[in-house]
């Protein structure tokens, strides 16, 4: 990979100095694009390129409407510490998603199953981590929708919102590759197949196994 040169390299050097001089810690906000451009004397395009480079290397996390933050260690979220951490999200998912599967199996209609299959195919065809994450989130929410239980659907919606946080997205992006993509798709296929076969216990166990795999991948926790 080529190293940034010219204005972009100048921005990167300035950011590095600023992090040290200001004593920034993981989760702290960096200056705005406008402020960085003014400080370095470059255009905002160079600043955006520099920030994209830092994001791709996992050094910063960018969130529209909130700003750019130094990346965290995966145990907390930037700026607003009342946001759930990836560990908390996975704990909630493990508690909820396997247990709603029997009701989804019992209540799923033809259109519900069709939506699961649509999300399944979308995830299989996804070309990037971000695209797969969108289909992945939609598929998991489709299981909650299939319960036709307003409380479970609302709780699932909270999990969908939590998964849109930059720390979660950063973890998913850093752990995404072709082999894992294939494994996740195979696991999703098994869950949907159990729903179609109206096998409540198989659906619960397939979801539990899948989420354990996700947790090991993201957090390194065997259990």
């Amino acid at each position: 990979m080529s190293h940034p040169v010219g204005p972009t390299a100048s921005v990167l050097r300035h950011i590095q100095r600023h992090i040290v001089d200001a004593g920034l810690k993981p989760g702290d906000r960096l200056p705005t694009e406008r402020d960085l451009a003014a400080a370095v004397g470059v255009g905002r395009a160079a600043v955006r390129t520099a920030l994209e480079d830092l994001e791709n290397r996992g050094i910063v996390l960018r969130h529209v409407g909130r700003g750019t933050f130094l990346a965290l260690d995966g145990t907390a979220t930037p700026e607003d510490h009342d946001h759930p951490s990836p560990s908390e999200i996975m704990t909630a998912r493990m508690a909820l998603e396997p247990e709603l599967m029997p009701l989804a199996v019992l209540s799923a209609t033809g259109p519900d199953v069709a939506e699961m299959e649509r999300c399944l195919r979308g995830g299989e065809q996804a070309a990037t981590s971000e695209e797969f994450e969108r289909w992945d989130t939609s598929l998991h929410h489709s299981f909650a929708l299939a319960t036709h239980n307003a409380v479970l659907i609302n709780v699932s919606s909270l999990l969908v919102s939590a998964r849109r946080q930059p720390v979660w997205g950063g973890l998913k992006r850093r752990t995404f590759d072709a082999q894992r993509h294939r494994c996740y798709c195979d696991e999703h296929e098994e869950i949907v197949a159990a729903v179609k076969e109206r096998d409540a216990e198989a659906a619960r166990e397939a979801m539990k196994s899948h989420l354990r795999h996700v947790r090991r991948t993201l957090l390194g926790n065997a259990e």
Side-chain angles (χ1 to χ4, degrees), residues 32 61 69 75 79 95 97 113 121-122 132 158-159 168:
T32 65
L61 295 166
F69 304 84
T75 61
E79 188 183 37
E97 294 188 49
V113 173
R121 303 310 162 209
F132 178 76
L158 291 176
L159 289 173
W168 178 269

Side-chain angles (χ1 to χ4, degrees), residues 103-113 116 143 145-148 195 198:
L103 183 56
V105 167
L106 178 67
S107 305
T109 63
D112 291 329
V113 173
M116 295 174 196
F143 300 131
L145 292 172
T147 67
H148 297 273
V195 175
R198 303 295 178 177

Side-chain angles (χ1 to χ4, degrees), residues 7-212:
T8 298
S10 297
V11 175
L12 290 171
R13 286 193 295 269
H14 174 80
I15 292 174
Q16 184 177 30
R17 287 195 301 270
H18 177 78
I19 290 171
V20 174
D21 294 344
L24 298 186
K25 302 179 296 298
D28 287 344
R29 190 202 302 264
L30 269 65
T32 65
E33 288 184 8
R34 179 179 298 175
D35 289 343
L36 287 170
V40 183
V42 299
R44 291 180 67 172
V47 173
R48 283 192 289 270
T49 300
L51 293 176
E52 287 172 2
D53 176 74
L54 292 173
E55 184 179 33
N56 290 336
R57 289 190 277 146
I59 296 172
V60 303
L61 295 166
R62 304 167 73 197
H63 185 57
V64 176
R66 292 178 60 200
T68 303
F69 304 84
L70 278 186
L72 302 172
D73 59 5
T75 61
T77 54
E79 188 183 37
D80 294 327
H81 296 289
D82 57 340
H83 285 174
S85 70
S87 178
E88 289 172 323
I89 293 170
M90 283 309 309
T91 297
R93 293 186 68 189
M94 288 294 302
L96 176 72
E97 294 188 49
E99 300 312 314
L100 66 75
M101 292 309 301
L103 183 56
V105 167
L106 178 67
S107 305
T109 63
D112 291 329
V113 173
E115 174 62 10
M116 295 174 196
E117 292 182 324
R118 185 183 75 88
C119 296
L120 188 64
R121 303 310 162 209
E124 289 174 344
Q125 296 166 15
T128 65
S129 169
E130 291 78 9
E131 185 181 359
F132 178 76
E133 176 67 9
R134 288 193 294 271
W135 284 113
D136 185 7
T137 302
S138 296
L139 176 63
H140 281 266
H141 189 53
S142 77
F143 300 131
L145 292 172
T147 67
H148 297 273
N149 181 298
V151 175
L152 291 174
I153 292 169
N154 285 337
V155 175
S156 178
S157 295
L158 291 176
L159 289 173
V160 170
S161 296
R163 291 177 64 174
R164 290 174 179 156
Q165 293 181 60
V167 171
W168 178 269
L171 276 176
K172 291 297 288 287
R173 185 168 53 251
R174 290 195 292 275
T175 58
F176 187 80
D177 57 31
Q179 181 178 3
R180 188 153 289 117
H181 180 199
R182 185 65 262 164
C183 286
Y184 284 166
C185 287
D186 288 345
E187 290 165 2
H188 286 162
E189 186 93 48
E190 184 177 356
I191 298 168
V192 174
V195 175
K196 292 167 66 176
E197 293 166 8
R198 303 295 178 177
D199 189 332
E201 187 58 28
R204 177 195 278 124
E205 290 304 312
M207 177 64 78
K208 189 179 297 184
S209 176
H210 169 60
L211 292 178
R212 284 173 174 164

